[in-house]
Amino acid sequence: MDNISLISDMILKSKKLVVFTGAGISTESGVSDFRSPGGIWDRFDPSELNFQSFMASEAGREKYWQFSKALWPEIANAKPNPGHYAIAELHRLGRLDCVITQNIDDLHQKSGIPEEKVIELHGTLKWVICLECGQRYPREQIQLRLESGVKAPRCDACGGITKPATIAFGQAMPERETREAEARAAACDLFLVAGSSLVVYPAAQMPLIAKSNGAKLVIINLTPTPHDHYADVVIQGKTGPAMSQIAEQVKARLA
Ligand code: ZN
């Protein structure tokens, strides 16, 4: 049996499928990955955009917002690609427990997966949050302020520092999401990685949690990952074409 059929078979037999996604699935929608050349990351230095610099000074916050202002149109205009739609199809077919994602671009939700089934480990760009009082603002609203010349927006309610609701370099992982992701990984019987190189924590940890609790592990990624040797099936390639074929086969065999 070829790998696509093997994975389809595993999905059909699975009672709890968790899909884990990273930058690899979003680059196929044209979203820039800071690891790859080209795009917005050529104009900004990731080492200047960490949480410590953001908290340390107004200049640090202005720099961060300058970057975020330039990034937002790319994210706002990005459309889900066949990889996202294939995962949404698995959801429609009743085969998906949840998606755990490292991405901040809302593309799983845009593809039709309900909000409550998407666990965002690195937060979301869709919201801006006040670090003092927790007030949330839609990103579009803050973007208008940035465009009107505000350099580092403050909270209307309390005057506190606001920040995109994403996890910056050096910022603590969100507790609730991390715990939830670990619990889902531990409880699933099939863990499918789509487009993550599994190098940063806690992403690197999740497949191991799943595997050590008895789940089968599938990894689909363009490049090798440190966990390939733990996996039951590995496909080295793009996420979109592989996931589309898998979803089509699952659908056909359910019909
Ligand atoms: Zn506030």
Side-chain angles (χ1 to χ4, degrees), residues 71-159:
L71 177 66
W72 174 246
E74 177 178 305
I75 300 293
N77 295 324
K79 303 265 186 300
N81 66 62
H84 295 101
Y85 286 121
I87 300 168
E89 181 67 28
L90 294 175
H91 158 68
R92 267 192 301 277
L93 295 169
R95 314 309 297 188
L96 182 71
D97 181 56
C98 69
V99 178
I100 302 170
T101 187
Q102 298 172 277
N103 300 331
I104 55 172
D105 50 35
D106 203 38
L107 289 177
H108 288 299
Q109 291 91 331
K110 282 187 185 170
S111 77
I113 299 178
E115 198 89 15
E116 67 272 14
K117 281 208 168 191
V118 183
I119 301 170
E120 295 169 312
L121 282 180
H122 295 170
T124 175
L125 264 190
K126 207 165 58 164
W127 295 98
V128 171
I129 192 159
C130 171
L131 297 180
E132 314 285 332
C133 76
Q135 175 75 42
R136 294 203 303 174
Y137 298 89
R139 178 52 198 251
E140 289 84 359
Q141 193 183 320
I142 299 294
Q143 189 73 10
L144 290 176
R145 281 195 221 176
L146 294 168
E147 280 162 10
S148 76
V150 174
K151 290 196 165 70
R154 290 276 173 163
C155 175
D156 291 337
C158 78

Side-chain angles (χ1 to χ4, degrees), residues 166-241:
T166 48
I167 305 301
F169 298 104
Q171 191 173 0
M173 296 299 297
E175 265 181 54
R176 189 183 64 77
E177 284 81 358
T178 306
R179 264 204 316 271
E180 177 76 9
E182 286 170 353
R184 299 291 189 113
C188 75
D189 60 7
L190 178 57
F191 193 90
L192 190 156
V193 176
S196 173
S197 34
L198 301 175
V199 284
V200 297
Y201 177 85
Q205 199 71 9
M206 298 295 168
L208 303 183
I209 293 173
K211 195 69 188 165
S212 64
N213 283 278
K216 290 210 159 35
L217 176 63
V218 171
I219 298 177
I220 302 170
N221 197 50
L222 203 51
T223 53
T225 83
H227 296 329
D228 286 358
H229 60 287
Y230 289 113
D232 297 274
V233 185
V234 175
I235 292 182
Q236 209 173 302
K238 285 190 165 190
T239 308

